[in-house]
Structures are given as C-alpha cells and as structure tokens.
Amino acid sequence: MAAELHVALVAADREVWSGEATLVVARTTSGDIGVMPGHQPLLGVLESGPVTIRTREGGTVVAAVHGGFISFADDKLSLLAETAELADEIDVKSVEQEIARAKAENDPEAGRRADVRLRAATAGR
C-alpha cells in the first residue's frame, strides 16, 4: 500500500473535509507548497487560494481557503482556515455577481475573496 497522509481541513465554524490523501497543494505566504507522505514537518501561514487534495481513491477535492495555518508532522496535515468551503458548495453565478459588485463598489478585498471562490469552484468541476 502506498504511503498516505491524514488530512483535516477545518474552518472556524466547521470541519470542511477530513480523510486520507496522497498529495495536498496549498498557497502559503512563502508560495505554493505540495505536501506528500514523508514530507518534512512544517508550520506555515495560509494565503487565500484554492487548496487541492488528491484522495487515496484517486479523486480530487478542491476548496476555497481564506487565511489560517498549515501544519504537518507524522503524516498528519492540518489546514486550519479562517473560512473554507468545498468547490461543490460554491454557486458560480452568485460568485460572478459578487465579483461584479466588488468592482462596482471598488472593494478589492471582496473581489479577491470572490476570485478565490471562483477559481476553486471552476477547478473542482
């Protein structure tokens, strides 16, 4: 059996996803990072961006993550996000409206958050 890592993606209000994976890719303040079983221990700060999880079964889980921390040791990866939602929970039309509203209101932060959600939603389909 191939090596695996246990992943827990947790937002402030709920556990978003938990399971076994072979690879997780996330954006940190130091850049994008890929974590596989046997990776060196790490602790980092998450940037807003899509997180991609390759499951043990060969599937892919994508989530929009906004801020938080990533921690890895002993083949256990914790993604502790301020907010996070799975790609299949995101309504693309609603997010497109959020982007238009953010542009009209000159709100770059809302625009960036909506853009992350849109990238995650379209990557997960």
Side-chain angles (χ1 to χ4, degrees):
M1 184 163 121
E4 298 172 350
L5 58 118
H6 181 74
V7 178
L9 171 57
V10 180
D13 60 344
R14 68 186 176 118
E15 181 176 79
V16 178
W17 189 87
S18 179
E20 303 301 317
T22 58
L23 171 68
V24 176
V25 178
R27 174 152 297 171
T28 70
T29 54
S30 300
D32 289 349
I33 187 168
V35 178
M36 298 175 69
H39 195 284
Q40 292 294 314
L42 75 91
L43 178 62
V45 177
L46 289 171
E47 289 278 324
S48 292
V51 168
T52 303
I53 302 166
R54 297 288 159 89
T55 67
R56 171 178 54 188
E57 297 79 23
T60 301
V61 175
V62 179
V65 172
H66 302 282
F69 297 93
I70 182 171
S71 171
F72 180 78
D74 300 323
D75 288 329
K76 293 183 177 99
L77 179 71
S78 298
L79 298 149
L80 308 170
E82 292 173 20
T83 63
E85 59 189 318
L86 296 173
D88 60 4
E89 298 172 339
I90 300 170
D91 177 2
V92 173
K93 289 184 189 225
S94 173
V95 173
E96 289 170 342
Q97 291 171 349
E98 287 176 33
I99 291 171
R101 189 170 36 254
K103 286 180 183 176
E105 296 174 359
N106 194 25
D107 186 348
E109 180 59 28
R112 279 191 291 274
R113 291 178 73 81
D115 180 63
V116 167
R117 294 178 69 223
L118 183 62
R119 286 188 290 136
T122 55
R125 295 179 198 248

